[in-house]
Amino acid sequence: MKILISCFLFIIACTAFVLSVRSFFEKGFLLNNAYLYASQTEKETMNKKPYYRQSAVVFLMVSLIFLLNGLSVLLMIEDFSYLAMVMIPIVLVYVVVSSIGIERKK
């Protein structure tokens, strides 16, 4: 059962990592709330580069969180899980701070 759970967590981690790499290269659909909720005219005129970067960093951190959780389940090392729990508020703070920074640069 723990192998199944860890495989599921590793698949999510790999998916988030692929999305991160694609966002770093500014390829594919932009998965960012600022872009998703923008009107069509705003989407055409907005500078997407900072939003791609923000999404890439967030997906990379999410990938690391799921990787740590998968390793925690597979290897039964609780410290990995605690480290993942510490990373969650760091991701949230990064999202807020980077969003404010992007808005200030406009």
Side-chain angles (χ1 to χ4, degrees), residues 24 28-29 60 67 70-71 81 90 106:
F24 273 121
F29 189 74
L60 186 62
L67 178 66
L71 289 172
S81 183
I90 292 171
K106 282 186 177 179

Side-chain angles (χ1 to χ4, degrees), residues 14-106:
C14 287
T15 303
F17 182 75
V18 168
L19 290 172
S20 174
V21 170
R22 289 182 58 84
S23 291
F24 273 121
F25 287 112
E26 297 179 16
K27 301 289 182 191
F29 189 74
L30 178 56
L31 294 169
N32 191 296
N33 280 343
Y35 181 78
L36 294 174
Y37 291 120
S39 67
Q40 189 62 33
T41 55
E42 289 174 329
K43 287 179 182 179
E44 293 169 358
T45 60
M46 78 184 330
N47 179 15
K48 297 177 187 87
K49 185 172 186 154
Y51 298 110
Y52 268 115
R53 178 168 166 69
Q54 180 188 40
S55 296
V57 172
V58 169
F59 279 121
L60 186 62
M61 289 190 217
V62 167
S63 174
L64 186 57
I65 289 169
F66 279 99
L67 178 66
L68 288 170
N69 281 325
L71 289 172
S72 175
V73 170
L74 185 64
L75 303 175
M76 295 179 10
I77 300 174
E78 290 183 14
D79 292 342
F80 289 148
S81 183
Y82 296 138
L83 186 58
M85 284 189 278
V86 168
M87 286 190 63
I88 292 171
I90 292 171
V91 173
L92 295 175
V93 168
Y94 171 78
V95 168
V96 171
V97 170
S98 66
S99 294
I100 291 170
I102 291 170
E103 289 301 316
R104 283 191 180 168
K105 287 182 181 179
K106 282 186 177 179

